[in-house]
Amino acid sequence: MVNFNENPVALAGWYIADCAAPIGQFTWENSLGSVSAVIVATSRIKAGELVVYALCRPSGHHACRDMAMGMCFLNNSAIAAVELRKQFDRVAIIDIDMHHGNGTQQIFYQRGDILTISIHGDSRDFYPFYSGFENEYGSGDGEGYNLNIPLPKGSNEAFYLKALEKSASRVLSFKAEALVVATGFDTFKSDPLGCFALESNSYYKIGRMIRSLNLPTLFVQEGGYFVEALRENARQLVKGFENV
Ligand SMILES: [Zn+2]
């Protein structure tokens, strides 16, 4: 048995899945900053706000229960859902980042009170590779409460909106009382880590569709790496939600 106390490098390796989650001097402080943002955001939702947007960096949806990976250390969206669950009986998470929200799935895989849905690039071709497939439904009490919608490389707006429509109807049949949207913009056509073909205007339509669910909604910032368009894409999403 390895004695981690004698070897901090081994300890780091045990709890970090890949080379994209290095831990430095300010990692904990910054990760805690992200979590603080969602805690404040959830308190606003619990106080009756219809919608709040938590601007988190680092993002969180790849972080598992005890494993950092993919630039994620603490799972902000999952923490938000647990906080909201204290007030709402059923909470749904729709992950619209281009990559499978594997950490969020893992954390809630055996729970039936928090529904997890992820729309993402097919994991046979894209990170995180080892999860995100259609046959991952959840288990135990969570059986039927995890929905993965992998889409092929090059998926355009029409294709994407169909997947979102399917997600929305699952949220409705689940009778969710509050919604967390793990919000990534790496679905944009020019994103260097993405494979979809969404336009800026697509985010307006996504925002509208999410609004149509008529639920208290918390957007939690996840990925998005084409920095020049991030501001406009986030703006379109919010405008769509507000239907202006
Ligand atoms: Zn991503």
XYZ file of all heavy atoms in Angstrom, residues 59 61-62 70-72 95-101 120 127 183-187 191 193-194 222-225, ligand 1:
209
model
N -14.064 26.177 -14.380
C -15.325 25.478 -14.546
C -15.300 24.192 -13.715
O -14.305 23.907 -13.038
C -15.590 25.210 -16.021
O -14.465 24.618 -16.620
N -17.644 20.935 -14.441
C -18.482 19.745 -14.701
C -17.718 18.440 -14.933
O -18.330 17.375 -14.954
C -19.462 20.026 -15.855
C -18.839 20.092 -17.209
N -19.514 19.704 -18.351
C -17.613 20.509 -17.604
C -18.719 19.885 -19.397
N -17.580 20.369 -18.975
N -16.386 18.515 -15.091
C -15.616 17.253 -15.191
C -15.172 16.752 -13.815
O -14.717 15.616 -13.696
C -14.370 17.452 -16.069
C -14.685 17.734 -17.500
N -15.527 16.929 -18.241
C -14.282 18.732 -18.344
C -15.630 17.427 -19.474
N -14.893 18.522 -19.559
N -9.738 17.648 -16.431
C -10.283 18.538 -17.458
C -10.470 19.977 -17.015
O -11.502 20.587 -17.302
N -9.475 20.525 -16.329
C -9.517 21.929 -15.889
C -10.590 22.185 -14.833
O -11.040 23.312 -14.636
C -9.692 22.883 -17.082
C -8.555 22.787 -18.077
S -8.736 23.849 -19.505
C -9.704 22.835 -20.608
N -11.070 21.114 -14.191
C -12.123 21.233 -13.172
C -11.649 20.614 -11.862
O -11.105 19.507 -11.850
C -13.382 20.498 -13.627
S -14.092 21.129 -15.170
N -26.674 19.917 -19.154
C -25.297 20.308 -19.448
C -25.186 20.558 -20.954
O -25.301 19.628 -21.754
C -24.350 19.186 -19.014
C -22.886 19.602 -19.063
O -22.509 20.300 -20.035
O -22.124 19.223 -18.161
N -24.986 21.835 -21.328
C -24.925 22.178 -22.751
C -23.494 22.496 -23.194
O -23.281 23.060 -24.263
C -25.890 23.345 -23.104
C -25.525 24.623 -22.325
C -27.330 22.938 -22.844
C -26.292 25.865 -22.799
N -22.520 22.153 -22.367
C -21.120 22.247 -22.781
C -20.880 21.191 -23.873
O -21.591 20.200 -23.958
C -20.223 21.983 -21.558
C -18.758 22.233 -21.845
O -18.080 21.331 -22.402
O -18.273 23.339 -21.512
N -19.867 21.429 -24.709
C -19.581 20.499 -25.817
C -19.063 19.147 -25.335
O -19.108 18.146 -26.038
C -18.548 21.134 -26.760
C -18.590 20.671 -28.195
S -18.117 18.962 -28.474
C -16.386 18.981 -27.993
N -18.581 19.103 -24.094
C -18.022 17.853 -23.566
C -18.969 17.219 -22.545
O -19.682 17.938 -21.839
C -16.662 18.128 -22.899
C -15.672 18.753 -23.832
N -15.464 20.117 -23.902
C -14.861 18.187 -24.755
C -14.559 20.367 -24.833
N -14.169 19.228 -25.367
N -18.948 15.921 -22.484
C -19.815 15.228 -21.520
C -19.534 15.692 -20.082
O -18.373 15.768 -19.660
C -19.577 13.707 -21.617
C -20.359 12.943 -20.604
N -19.798 12.009 -19.772
C -21.679 13.012 -20.265
C -20.731 11.515 -18.984
N -21.872 12.097 -19.254
N -20.597 15.965 -19.341
C -20.457 16.366 -17.941
C -20.273 15.127 -17.070
O -21.132 14.767 -16.271
N -23.638 16.453 -25.854
C -22.187 16.641 -26.056
C -21.692 15.909 -27.291
O -22.392 15.056 -27.851
C -21.448 16.110 -24.819
C -21.913 14.752 -24.400
N -22.860 14.565 -23.429
C -21.594 13.525 -24.857
C -23.101 13.272 -23.289
N -22.348 12.617 -24.153
N -13.008 14.180 -25.690
C -12.882 14.188 -24.237
C -14.270 14.231 -23.603
O -15.130 14.921 -24.135
C -12.085 15.459 -23.833
C -11.667 15.502 -22.405
C -10.461 14.961 -21.998
C -12.496 16.092 -21.452
C -10.083 14.997 -20.661
C -12.120 16.125 -20.119
C -10.918 15.580 -19.736
O -10.554 15.607 -18.425
N -23.344 25.640 -18.446
C -23.378 26.441 -19.670
C -22.002 26.573 -20.328
O -21.171 27.365 -19.895
C -23.904 27.857 -19.322
O -25.125 27.730 -18.593
C -24.146 28.675 -20.573
N -21.774 25.778 -21.364
C -20.519 25.882 -22.109
C -20.752 26.512 -23.465
O -21.819 26.339 -24.061
N -19.764 27.240 -23.934
C -19.858 27.849 -25.269
C -18.855 27.229 -26.231
O -18.588 27.784 -27.295
C -19.659 29.363 -25.166
C -20.760 30.045 -24.402
C -20.606 30.364 -23.065
C -21.979 30.326 -25.012
C -21.626 30.971 -22.346
C -23.011 30.925 -24.302
C -22.828 31.249 -22.964
N -18.296 26.086 -25.861
C -17.387 25.408 -26.793
C -18.152 24.627 -27.861
O -17.561 23.887 -28.637
C -16.371 24.520 -26.044
C -16.979 23.750 -24.891
O -18.211 23.764 -24.750
O -16.204 23.125 -24.143
N -19.485 24.824 -27.903
C -20.301 24.311 -29.003
C -20.263 25.269 -30.201
O -20.806 24.950 -31.258
C -21.766 24.164 -28.548
O -22.131 25.361 -27.837
C -21.944 22.965 -27.631
N -14.842 27.213 -32.039
C -14.141 26.855 -30.804
C -13.003 25.864 -31.093
O -13.219 24.850 -31.757
C -15.116 26.250 -29.786
C -14.514 26.215 -28.396
O -13.685 25.318 -28.131
O -14.843 27.102 -27.585
N -11.603 23.761 -29.160
C -11.757 22.447 -28.517
C -13.098 21.803 -28.881
O -13.441 20.746 -28.355
C -11.656 22.573 -26.990
C -10.341 23.093 -26.413
C -10.360 23.017 -24.883
C -9.156 22.332 -26.963
N -13.869 22.456 -29.740
C -15.226 21.988 -30.039
C -15.328 21.266 -31.365
O -14.372 21.216 -32.149
N -19.480 27.036 -17.747
C -18.523 25.931 -17.898
C -17.484 26.338 -18.947
O -16.899 27.398 -18.844
C -19.265 24.627 -18.261
C -20.279 24.166 -17.204
C -19.654 23.555 -15.945
O -18.422 23.410 -15.872
O -20.413 23.248 -15.003
N -17.294 25.525 -20.005
C -16.225 25.804 -20.968
C -16.562 26.857 -22.002
O -17.643 27.462 -21.994
N -15.632 27.057 -22.960
C -15.781 28.070 -24.006
C -14.425 28.691 -24.266
O -13.911 29.402 -23.402
N -13.849 28.422 -25.433
C -12.424 28.742 -25.635
C -12.161 29.624 -26.851
O -11.015 29.954 -27.116
C -11.607 27.434 -25.704
C -11.951 26.569 -24.521
C -12.883 25.543 -24.629
C -11.420 26.842 -23.262
C -13.253 24.785 -23.519
C -11.774 26.093 -22.151
C -12.693 25.073 -22.292
O -13.062 24.345 -21.195
Zn -16.200 21.723 -22.715
